[in-house]
Amino acid sequence: MYSDGEAGAGSPVLLNPGPAGTSERVKNALLRGDLCHREPEFSELLNRLRAALPRALEFPETYESVLITGSGTAAMEMAVTGSVRAGREILVLSNGVYGERLLAIARAHGITAHEVAPDGDQLERWTTPIDPTWVESALAAYPEVDAVVCVHHETTTGLINPVRAIGEIVARHRALFVVDAISSTGNEELDLADVGIDILCGTANKGLHGLPGISFLLCGPAGVARIAEAPMRGLYNNAAIHLAGQRRCEVPFTPAVQICYALDEALAEYTERGGRRARVALYRERAAVVRAGFDRLGLKILVDPPHRANSVSTLRLPERVTYPRLHDELAKRGYIIYAGQGGLAAGHFRICTFGEIPFERLEALEFALGAALLAARD
Ligand SMILES: Cc1ncc(COP(=O)(O)O)c(C=O)c1O
C-alpha cells in the first residue's frame, strides 16, 4: 500500500478542502533559512519551480508557469483579467461557489460577463454538470466572447465538469479556454494536459501538498499571447507583469520565499512518489476507502457517481445531527471536517481527502465517524 502522510498520532487529520496536511519534509522547508528575493539563489528557486510545475503535471514544455504569492483566488483573478481583450467579453460556466466567484471577479473588473448555469434551485444548479451543448449555444449567441472560463472540480460539492468536451467546443469557436483546476491539479483522474487548456489556475496546497500562500497559472502559447494583449486591469494580480518579471528570473513584488521552498519540496516528493499517475491512484484509493465506510454508515453522497471527484464528498447530515455538533465530536476524535457551502450548509457536510493523511487514520475514519454521529444526535 502507498505509504503517505506523517501526521503524528496526536495531530488532527485535516479532512477540509485545503489547506491540506503536509509532510515533515515540506514543513521543514520553512527552516531552510532567510533569503532575499533579489539574490541569485531566489532566481534559481523561481526557475526551478516554473519548470517543475508543468513537468510534474505532464504539460508540454510549451506551457509557462506564472507564480503568484496569494491564495487560489489570486490566480483566478489573474487568469480572468488576463484573458479578455479590451471591448471583448467572457463566458463563465457556473455551477458552484467557485464558478460564481469567477463571475464576480469579471464583473468587479468591468468585463462584460455572460453566465452559463444549469436551471433550477441552488441544489439543482450545484449538482448538475455543465452541458457542453449549452456552451456551444452561448458561444453562438455571444460572438464577442474572447474567453470561456470553467471550474474543473467544483469543490463546493465535489462535482467534476466535463472540461474535455467543453474545451473542444471552445477551440472550435476560437475562444481562449481558462480552467480553474485549483482542486484537481495533479490529483483527479483527467489528464488536464490533454484538454486544450490555454490558461490553468492551480494552487500549492491542495493536490500538490505544499503550504498555502502560493498559487500559479500554467499558460499555453495562446494564453501567453492573450496575456500580452489584455489591457492593464489592476497591478498586483496582473499576469503580464508577473510573467514579464519571471521571464527575467525576477518577481515584481515580495514573494512568500519560504512557501516557495515548501512547494519545491512538495514537487520533489510528488515526483519521487511516482508523479501524477501515483497521486491520482492514491486519491482514487482514498475515495474507495472512505466511501465504503460512508455506505456502511448509511451516509448518502450528494453528487451522482459519474460526476464525482475523488477528493471531496458532500454528505447529507442524518436526521437530528447538526454540523457544529458533528464537527466537534469528530474533532475530539482527531478529524477536522468541513461545512457545506451556501444553501447546503444546513443539511450537508464535506469530507475531503487532500494532502498528507496516514492511510491507517483514513481506515479508522469509519469507526470515528460512526461514534461521532451517535454522540452528535440530539
Ligand atoms: C475550485 C476552487 N477554486 C478556487 C478556490 C479558491 O482558492 P483560495 O481559497 O485558496 O483562494 C478554491 C478553494 O477551495 C477552489 O476549491
Side-chain angles (χ1 to χ4, degrees):
M1 183 175 292
Y2 190 106
S3 151
D4 71 305
E6 296 161 47
S11 323
V13 173
L14 298 184
L15 300 177
N16 53 303
T22 52
S23 69
E24 288 306 310
R25 176 172 168 184
V26 167
K27 284 190 260 291
N28 284 334
L30 297 181
L31 304 177
R32 272 199 211 168
D34 299 327
L35 174 64
C36 170
H37 62 289
R38 301 289 173 217
E39 292 301 306
E41 290 84 351
F42 185 78
S43 299
E44 276 166 34
L45 175 63
L46 178 68
N47 288 344
R48 193 160 64 244
L49 291 175
R50 291 190 70 223
L53 281 166
R55 203 182 314 121
L57 301 169
E58 299 172 10
F59 273 71
E61 279 177 9
T62 46
Y63 277 74
E64 267 197 82
S65 317
V66 186
L67 281 157
I68 182 159
T69 288
S71 76
T73 306
M76 293 162 88
E77 185 155 53
M78 196 157 75
V80 167
T81 56
S83 62
V84 184
R85 286 170 288 192
R88 302 290 297 271
E89 300 170 356
I90 193 165
L91 188 69
V92 180
L93 316 183
S94 156
N95 53 352
V97 164
Y98 299 102
E100 290 168 11
R101 187 174 300 176
L102 288 163
L103 191 65
I105 290 170
R107 293 190 171 146
H109 286 274
I111 300 170
T112 303
H114 306 284
E115 183 184 15
V116 165
D119 286 334
D121 61 16
Q122 190 182 63
L123 186 65
E124 285 173 276
R125 287 201 313 279
W126 283 5
T127 49
T128 306
I130 300 293
D131 183 330
T133 63
W134 304 338
V135 182
E136 182 89 65
S137 309
L139 284 170
Y142 303 116
E144 290 306 313
V145 164
D146 221 11
V148 176
V149 55
C150 178
V151 178
H152 176 218
H153 169 204
E154 251 304 349
T155 327
T156 313
T157 50
L159 179 147
I160 297 281
N161 276 314
V163 286
R164 189 197 298 276
I166 294 169
E168 282 165 15
I169 291 164
V170 175
R172 246 189 287 120
H173 284 263
R174 300 190 184 288
L176 204 78
F177 192 33
V178 179
V179 175
D180 169 348
I182 281 170
S183 61
S184 54
T185 323
N187 57 277
E188 285 297 337
E189 304 279 349
L190 185 65
D191 179 357
L192 288 166
D194 220 24
V195 171
I197 297 172
D198 297 304
I199 301 183
L200 170 142
C201 309
T203 190
N205 71 290
K206 293 197 198 287
L208 295 179
H209 303 193
L211 284 164
I214 293 280
S215 56
F216 59 89
L217 303 184
L218 287 189
C219 308
V224 168
R226 179 61 57 79
I227 284 170
E229 289 175 289
M232 182 92 167
R233 295 183 175 104
L235 187 79
Y236 186 78
N237 274 349
N238 188 301
I241 292 175
H242 285 275
L243 180 58
Q246 291 177 26
R247 282 180 161 178
R248 296 190 305 269
C249 313
E250 290 168 6
V251 283
F253 314 113
T254 307
V257 174
Q258 283 73 15
I259 306 298
C260 291
Y261 285 151
L263 180 58
D264 196 28
E265 296 295 349
L267 288 171
E269 259 182 3
Y270 184 87
T271 305
E272 287 163 21
R273 291 174 178 185
R276 196 184 66 79
R277 280 175 191 77
R279 185 65 49 95
V280 169
L282 170 69
Y283 277 50
R284 192 188 303 126
E285 196 180 349
R286 288 176 172 183
V289 168
V290 297
R291 287 176 182 168
F294 301 156
D295 246 9
R296 286 188 287 267
L297 291 169
L299 291 169
K300 298 271 172 284
I301 300 178
L302 180 67
V303 171
D304 290 338
H307 314 302
R308 273 181 203 163
N310 282 328
S311 49
V312 174
S313 301
T314 300
L315 300 154
R316 269 189 252 288
L317 281 164
E319 302 263 300
R320 295 167 46 210
V321 176
T322 62
Y323 174 73
R325 293 273 315 265
L326 181 61
H327 171 276
D328 294 353
E329 289 297 335
L330 264 174
K332 279 189 218 162
R333 293 163 174 82
Y335 297 93
I336 302 299
I337 58 166
Y338 214 58
Q341 273 169 307
L344 297 180
H348 295 83
F349 66 104
R350 282 177 288 174
I351 290 197
C352 312
T353 46
F354 292 105
E356 299 292 313
I357 308 175
F359 222 91
E360 61 280 9
R361 308 260 325 253
L362 219 50
E363 288 171 318
L365 173 66
E366 179 183 350
F367 183 76
L369 185 54
L373 283 165
L374 278 179
R377 191 153 293 164
D378 62 25

